[in-house]
């Protein structure tokens, strides 16, 4: 597949995952409305689109779309990275660090951190295997147990992963906007500014939940 098409694949799949993150963050923030609001929202997700689709059918559609998007995103990133290295077969003996190489390293290691965290997050708050409470449907209690002060390491893991997501979103959104539109010197700063603000809002939104639980605000 041509590199330009792979870039579009990364942009489209990135947009799908970004939409999911925004909706997921909004759902998480229901914890500030109380246990009933969060648990009712979780129950609604399992009955969404009934009776047009079976119970939990919509959730499984979302999971399949996300899984396909994640795999396509990762594969495209790997192929593009390998092609970039192949185009420069002789490594420089010395080069000054540049913004592009810093962004590439951030995206690469951030992607690894995020992938590992997704596995942990699924086992923790989705399957309940690693959750101290682990009661199916008791979302509020599971979250409260997960980020309790005595379970501080889970909060730390979450904070590190969300910050990695923020860096990934900031650069990925900026890159995706350039892929879909024409980039010029006049729009560069505007796109970077929008991507930065978006990433900060998303990061703060996700971090507000575990930190609020840890510090007893909910």
């Amino acid at each position: 597949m041509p590199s330009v098409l792979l870039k579009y694949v990364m942009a489209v799949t990135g947009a799908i995952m970004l939409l999911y993150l925004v909706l997921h963050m909004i759902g998480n923030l229901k914890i500030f409305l109380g246990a009933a609001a969060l648990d009712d929202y979780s129950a609604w997700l399992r009955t969404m689109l009934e009776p047009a689709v079976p119970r939990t059918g919509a959730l499984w559609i979302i999971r399949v779309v996300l899984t396909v998007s994640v795999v396509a995103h990762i594969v495209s990133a790997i192929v593009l990275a390998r092609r970039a290295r192949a185009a420069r077969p002789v490594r420089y003996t010395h080069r000054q660090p540049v913004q592009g190489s810093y962004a590439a390293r951030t995206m690469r290691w951030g992607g690894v951190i995020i992938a590992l965290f997704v596995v942990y997050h699924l086992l923790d708050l989705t399957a309940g295997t690693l959750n101290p409470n682990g009661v199916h449907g008791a979302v509020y209690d599971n979250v409260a147990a997960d980020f309790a002060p005595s379970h501080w390491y889970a909060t730390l893991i979450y904070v590190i992963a969300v910050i990695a997501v923020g860096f990934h979103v900031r650069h990925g959104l900026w890159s995706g906007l350039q892929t879909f539109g024409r980039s010029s010197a006049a729009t560069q700063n505007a796109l970077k500014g929008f991507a930065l603000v978006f990433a900060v809002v998303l990061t703060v939104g996700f971090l507000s939940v575990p930190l609020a639980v840890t510090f007893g605000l909910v």
Side-chain angles (χ1 to χ4, degrees):
M1 182 181 293
S3 295
V4 65
L5 290 182
L6 288 175
K7 290 181 179 180
Y8 275 107
V9 169
M10 288 198 69
V12 171
T13 55
I16 292 172
M17 291 184 286
L18 197 57
L19 175 61
Y20 170 78
L21 284 175
V22 171
L23 296 177
H24 188 29
M25 179 195 71
I26 293 173
N28 287 356
L29 293 177
K30 290 186 179 294
I31 194 172
F32 292 103
L33 300 178
L38 186 61
D39 288 348
D40 288 348
Y41 169 71
S42 174
W44 172 78
L45 288 176
R46 291 191 288 274
T47 60
M48 190 168 43
L49 298 184
E50 281 189 344
V53 297
R55 182 179 174 82
T56 73
L59 271 180
W60 279 107
I61 292 173
I62 293 171
R63 288 165 179 165
V64 170
V65 171
L66 279 175
T67 300
V68 172
S69 297
V70 169
V71 172
H73 197 80
I74 293 174
V75 171
S76 298
I78 292 174
V79 173
L80 286 171
R82 288 179 175 176
R83 288 180 182 178
R85 285 197 299 268
R88 183 176 52 81
V90 179
R91 296 180 63 87
Y92 298 125
T93 56
H94 175 74
R95 64 175 178 175
Q96 295 296 327
V98 295
Q99 183 178 358
S101 61
Y102 170 77
R105 289 194 300 271
T106 300
M107 293 295 281
R108 181 167 58 249
W109 289 109
V112 172
I113 293 172
I114 293 168
L116 293 174
F117 173 71
V118 167
V119 175
Y120 170 79
H121 187 60
L122 290 174
L123 293 174
D124 180 20
L125 289 173
T126 300
T129 306
L130 300 180
N131 189 272
N133 193 51
V135 177
H136 182 69
V139 180
Y140 185 94
D141 290 338
N142 291 344
V143 172
D146 207 24
F147 301 122
S150 60
H151 209 228
W152 60 269
Y153 48 89
T155 303
L156 180 60
I157 291 172
Y158 198 92
V159 168
I160 293 173
V162 169
I163 291 175
V165 169
F167 277 107
H168 206 83
V169 166
R170 184 263 173 191
H171 181 74
L173 180 57
W174 172 57
S175 180
L177 289 173
Q178 290 186 100
T179 299
F180 283 122
R182 294 180 179 178
S183 179
S184 65
T187 60
Q188 281 282 329
N189 289 335
L191 293 179
K192 286 182 179 180
F194 174 77
L196 176 61
V197 171
F198 191 98
V200 169
V201 171
L202 195 70
T203 301
V204 171
F206 272 110
L207 288 183
S208 64
V209 174
L211 294 180
V213 174
T214 299
F215 292 103
L217 300 178
V218 294

